[in-house]
Amino acid sequence: MSKCSADETPVCCCMDVGTIMDNTDCTASYSRVFANRAEADETLAALSERARGVESDPCKIIPTYKDVDGGVQLDIGFVFCCEAETLIFQLGLR
């Protein structure tokens, strides 16, 4: 068995899920520059709908707009109640 502090099972090289997901990372971030505010708003609405489909408790969605050269930068923070929801949301965007 390796010198890992994780609870490993030597037979199948498995780890306890709590070793990987400990509920300390419940935030997903998104950032992109759009040609205009309307395009940014459309993306915010679509991503918010996806987050609402994953949440068990209300997800806190924090959008920030900034005018930049070439358009509008949209930064969004999605704060879920648990890390599993964050991971499901992120995987759904791939």
Side-chain angles (χ1 to χ4, degrees):
M1 197 152 96
S2 66
K3 293 183 178 182
C4 180
S5 62
D7 295 328
E8 295 178 306
T9 304
V11 177
C12 67
C13 298
C14 299
M15 294 179 127
D16 179 56
V17 173
T19 302
I20 300 166
M21 296 174 52
D22 59 2
N23 255 2
T24 59
D25 185 12
C26 297
T27 302
S29 300
Y30 178 88
S31 182
R32 183 174 157 200
V33 175
F34 295 89
N36 56 55
R37 176 78 182 241
E39 289 179 13
D41 286 338
E42 286 178 24
T43 298
L44 174 60
L47 292 175
S48 295
E49 185 177 334
R50 286 188 125 172
R52 298 291 177 224
V54 170
E55 67 186 8
S56 59
D57 287 336
C59 173
K60 186 174 183 182
I61 301 172
I62 308 158
T64 306
Y65 296 89
K66 182 170 50 171
D67 291 326
V68 296
D69 289 337
V72 175
Q73 180 173 327
L74 172 61
D75 299 316
I76 313 169
F78 298 90
V79 183
F80 292 91
C81 70
C82 68
E83 191 169 358
E85 292 177 357
T86 307
L87 183 60
I88 292 166
F89 175 73
Q90 291 172 323
L91 290 173
L93 297 179
R94 291 179 181 221

